[in-house]
Amino acid sequence: MRPMSANQLDQLKQITTVVADTGDFESMKAYQPQDATTNPSLILAAAAKPEYRHLVEQAVTELKATGLTAAALTEAILDRILILFGLEILKIVPGRVSTEVDARLSFDTEATIAKAHQLIAAYEKEGHSRDRILIKIASTWEGIKAAEALEKEGIHCNLTLLFSFAQAVACAEAGVQLISPFVGRILDWHKAATGKDYAADEDPGVISVRAIYNYYKKFGYKTEVMGASFRNKGEILALAGCDLLTISPGLLAELQASTDPVIAHLTAAEAAKSEAPKISLNEKAFRFMLNEDAMATEKTAQGIRSFAADIVKLEKLVEEMIG
């Protein structure tokens, strides 16, 4: 029996795996999530802070000593920065860290696989099992195919920038470990398109994740669903019971500050009642179904552009430090 005084974060942890969506180590220590996720934007924000500058400097110092030059040196330093942040996170969380492949590889299956191999090798060299690492890849057709191949090697993947049912179905069929549907960015698009606000139960992002969760559970897919990119606490509470939810420090603080009851809205029993038919997607069907979804098409492209731009900013920061 849960004590009535339990805060919402502790209540949520009883029914959903809580993940920290941040590159800030102190936030992870404060909220004690199971896993942590990062992305280029979060790493860029963290790398710009004085308290994390030493990790960037460490990467520059290590890689300059290798004799690499120009673009190869910059790329190697960027990868090392991602690994160094990941290593620090693995000291804090008991579970997994998600490390993202360069967004500029989102349409290149072979290059994505090669980069995933490099990242996993770097973690394994540091003594970490690949079971504690999720390679984050954009939910393009090429990214999903890369993840399918990686999963067969025991390299687990987190398919990110996921906005549509088509992407979710393709990921499940590919046998990926986990998907990250972006709840808040779906809401952003609909608010901009309609000019209206949405209550949590009417939130298009919430509705999308519920549909995916129900479909996965009804048809026995093992792929984990991790709601991401939240704009408010209501979205999180409306998805209580989801496999995982990755939450920013600000919203973790809001949950911790409230003792209102948390109710599981997503359950396997409810999912079994879903009337959604089973579908299967080859590349042509996937591309057409995604193309028919204007929101998902626009937000996936926008997300890739945004993450790619932040990688470029991180590259410039590194190049300035190389001198």
Side-chain angles (χ1 to χ4, degrees), residues 32-48:
Q32 300 183 312
Q34 175 69 18
D35 297 350
T37 56
T38 63
N39 62 45
S41 306
L42 294 173
I43 295 292
L44 177 65

Side-chain angles (χ1 to χ4, degrees), residues 22 25-26 51 53 62 81 87 171 177-178 180 200-201 224-225 252 279 311:
T22 180
F25 308 144
E26 295 310 311
E51 59 264 41
R53 183 82 172 182
E62 286 179 7
I81 290 170
L87 292 173
C171 286
Q177 181 70 33
L178 180 145
S180 295
D201 278 342
E224 300 167 58
V225 181
L252 287 169
I279 62 172
I311 285 281

Side-chain angles (χ1 to χ4, degrees), residues 7 15 24 27 64-65 74 77 92 98-99 105 108 159 179 188 194 239 254 274 314 317:
N7 66 56
I15 52 175
D24 182 75
S27 293
K64 277 177 83 170
T74 301
I77 291 171
I92 301 167
S98 289
T99 297
L105 304 180
D108 188 331
L159 272 288
I179 61 166
D188 293 345
T194 65
L239 291 174
E254 284 187 37
S274 166
L314 205 48
L317 177 71

